[in-house]
């Protein structure tokens, strides 16, 4: 007998964010978790969840902005799931889009809520930029905390000067190659 499943999907924006609170207290049969920015198109666990769900299943997501990068992406993803007769439940919004029957009101509601969420994210980013500019003008903005300690930077530069592959150095230090190159450029500018 094929039992319908409740499949959870969780996405956090960074490695240090906690996933526990997103579907806390929500029962699921299987859970997929991505640690990636919403704007990132590479969300392997979302793709795995979409491949996993079957007709009659429910995909459970904390909120619309956790599932999609923008309104267009949200509408497409939910539409494709509904076409496969998979329901989508958004916990924060308290709404479920049925994979069994078409409901024009659901589609309208999803479009409006997705649009509001996208607008809200844009406003937050704009406020953040304004706050940083004000802090810079006051001389209190210090920027992002350095990824590496001074000792690690010294080691990085010695290894790079010794001809070791940059990708290997970056991987060993747990940084991106771009961050590695930024540290090397700082040395050249000094």
């Amino acid at each position: 007998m094929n039992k319908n499943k409740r499949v959870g999907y969780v996405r956090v924006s960074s490695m240090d964010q906690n996933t526990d609170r997103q579907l806390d207290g929500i029962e699921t049969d299987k859970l997929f978790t991505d640690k990636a920015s919403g704007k990132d198109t590479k969300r392997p666990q979302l793709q795995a969840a979409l491949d996993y769900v079957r007709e009659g299943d429910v995909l459970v997501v904390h909120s619309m902005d956790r599932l999609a990068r923008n309104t267009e992406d949200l509408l497409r993803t939910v539409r494709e799931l509904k076409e496969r007769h998979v329901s989508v439940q958004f916990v924060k919004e308290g709404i479920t889009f049925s994979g069994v029957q078409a409901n024009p009101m659901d589609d309208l509601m999803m479009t409006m809520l997705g649009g509001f969420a996208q607008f809200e994210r844009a406003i937050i980013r704009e406020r953040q930029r304004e706050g940083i500019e004000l802090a810079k003008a006051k001389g209190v903005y210090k920027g992002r905390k350095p990824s590496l300690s001074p000792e690690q930077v010294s080691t990085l530069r010695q290894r790079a000067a010794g001809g070791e592959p940059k990708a290997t150095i970056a991987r060993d230090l747990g940084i991106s190659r771009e961050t590695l190159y930024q540290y090397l450029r700082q040395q050249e500018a000094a």
Side-chain angles (χ1 to χ4, degrees):
M1 182 174 172
N2 186 11
K3 179 185 174 278
N4 295 342
K5 296 189 179 189
R6 292 178 52 80
V7 178
Y9 174 69
V10 172
R11 180 185 60 78
V12 293
S13 300
S14 65
M15 297 306 274
D16 59 344
Q17 282 186 317
N18 191 340
T19 60
D20 294 343
R21 66 186 179 100
Q22 282 191 28
L23 293 180
D24 189 33
I26 306 294
E27 195 170 315
T28 59
D29 297 302
K30 187 153 179 76
L31 184 66
F32 294 86
T33 304
D34 271 322
K35 294 197 175 194
S37 168
K39 66 183 177 184
D40 192 349
T41 58
K42 293 178 183 149
R43 294 177 286 165
Q45 290 299 298
L46 174 59
Q47 190 56 54
L50 296 176
D51 292 343
Y52 180 83
V53 292
R54 300 288 179 254
E55 182 175 333
D57 289 350
V58 178
L59 180 65
V60 183
V61 185
H62 173 68
S63 64
M64 291 180 174
D65 68 330
R66 300 288 94 189
L67 180 65
R69 297 183 311 273
N70 53 45
T71 304
E72 182 180 327
D73 189 34
L74 174 69
L75 295 172
R76 180 188 46 75
T77 302
V78 173
R79 182 187 71 244
E80 289 172 358
L81 287 165
K82 286 172 54 178
E83 287 170 356
R84 294 171 46 202
H85 302 285
V86 173
S87 297
V88 183
Q89 177 186 359
F90 294 105
V91 176
K92 181 180 172 186
E93 290 85 359
I95 192 165
T96 300
F97 296 98
S98 173
V100 179
Q101 62 189 36
N103 183 340
M105 186 57 83
D106 280 355
D107 294 339
L108 174 63
M109 184 68 102
M110 182 175 43
T111 303
M112 290 175 22
L113 290 173
F116 286 132
Q118 187 174 341
F119 177 71
E120 181 181 27
R121 282 191 306 275
I123 294 296
I124 289 169
R125 281 193 305 271
E126 181 61 28
R127 286 185 187 146
Q128 183 181 29
R129 276 192 296 271
E130 290 172 357
I132 289 171
E133 290 304 316
L134 281 171
K136 282 181 179 178
K138 292 179 181 178
V140 294
Y141 183 73
K142 304 292 184 214
R144 185 176 165 192
K145 185 181 117 193
S147 300
L148 302 177
S149 68
E151 296 80 24
Q152 289 173 311
V153 173
S154 177
T155 300
L156 173 153
R157 291 177 176 155
Q158 289 171 0
R159 289 174 66 181
E164 192 171 338
K166 309 259 187 320
T168 303
I169 301 168
R171 191 173 29 256
D172 290 350
L173 293 171
I175 59 174
S176 69
R177 283 187 306 204
E178 178 54 35
T179 300
L180 178 138
Y181 285 114
Q182 287 175 5
Y183 280 114
L184 293 176
R185 283 191 295 269
Q186 288 172 358
Q187 180 183 21
E188 293 169 5

